[in-house]
Amino acid sequence: GAGVSQSPSNKVTEKGKDVELRCDPISGHTALYWYRQSLGQGLEFLIYFQGNSAPDKSGLPSDRFSAERTGGSVSTLTIQRTQQEDSAVYLCASSLVASGGTHVGEQYFGPGTRLTVT
Amino acid sequence: GENVEQHPSTLSVQEGDSAVIKCTYSDSASNYFPWYKQELGKGPQLIIDIRSNVGEKKDQRIAVTLNKTAKHFSLHITETQPEDSAVYFCAASRTSGTYKYIFGTGTRLKVLA
């Protein structure tokens, strides 16, 4: 079956512009995560969605970053007024979570969106 | 805050030799520890994981050990092959609340033919 897909694969934008990054999780996965990977760095947690629960936004670096997940499936990460330090690869992952919130499965990652802010 | 330290940052080994990567975590409530392999231009892929009720897990040439008391866990790759060359990330997670992973900073492994 299809894995996690992300679009676009590459995005170049000018400083100050807004960008939207899209993630299509694996069908049936109720949990969705966004991470950021800066050049030569590890993966930094941004935000987590699980079912209809309020998202965990504790990793968002500033109020210029926001994300939504419509219909429990597709998610969009929006960065407003982009800055050069926003340049990174943005990775999305999804996983199965059993009813009652017991974690059951690994996180499957998409290929990422490489964002370059000029 | 929660933190995962990973060493070494780079590792070069001769083909056929073993490679060991070590991680230390700070959150004592962590109880799930996955290892991911990331090849150039791709997203990370899970290669092995271990839960806190187990001290060791092996899958062919790959093994992971966990010392919960010391908050250490390690990845062992035996009989390395050129296709093992990649960046490896360890992570720690809880299995309640938010299941976010706290990742280490990665190890670039080069297997020399």
Side-chain angles (χ1 to χ4, degrees), chain B residues 16-27:
Chain B
D17 287 350
S18 295
V20 180
I21 303 170
K22 299 182 178 182
C23 289
T24 304
Y25 61 98
S26 63
D27 181 7

Side-chain angles (χ1 to χ4, degrees), chain A residues 35 37 48 56 101 106-107 110, chain B residues 36 38 43 46 89 98-99 101:
Chain A
Y35 294 87
Q37 186 172 29
Y48 158 70
D56 177 348
E106 69 183 86
Q107 292 184 23
Chain B
Y36 281 82
Q38 187 176 29
L46 181 77
F89 291 97
T98 297
Y99 312 121
Y101 289 175

Side-chain angles (χ1 to χ4, degrees), chain A residues 31 33 35 37 40-45 48 50 56 58 91 97 100-112, chain B residues 32 36 38 40-46 49 51 87 89 93-106 108:
Chain A
Y33 315 76
Y35 294 87
Q37 186 172 29
Q41 299 297 309
L43 290 88
E44 173 192 7
F45 167 77
Y48 158 70
Q50 163 53 18
D56 177 348
S58 60
L91 289 157
V97 178
T102 304
H103 172 75
V104 292
E106 69 183 86
Q107 292 184 23
Y108 291 83
F109 282 82
Chain B
Y32 176 66
Y36 281 82
Q38 187 176 29
L40 196 62
K42 297 183 178 179
Q45 265 202 311
L46 181 77
D49 57 10
R51 297 184 188 269
V87 179
F89 291 97
S93 168
R94 301 181 180 188
T95 53
S96 61
T98 297
Y99 312 121
K100 65 184 182 184
Y101 289 175
I102 305 299
F103 280 93
T105 49
R108 183 173 298 278

Side-chain angles (χ1 to χ4, degrees), chain B residues 58-70:
Chain B
K58 190 174 181 181
D59 183 3
Q60 298 183 353
R61 296 187 297 109
I62 296 173
V64 57
T65 59
L66 171 64
N67 182 331
K68 210 163 182 333
T69 303

Side-chain angles (χ1 to χ4, degrees), chain B residues 8-11 13 18 21 29-30 38 50-51 54 66 69 73 75 83-84 89 94 96-97 105:
Chain B
S9 56
T10 60
L11 179 61
V13 299
S18 295
I21 303 170
S30 296
Q38 187 176 29
I50 191 167
R51 297 184 188 269
V54 175
L66 171 64
T69 303
F73 58 114
L75 177 71
E83 53 265 36
D84 294 330
F89 291 97
R94 301 181 180 188
S96 61
T105 49

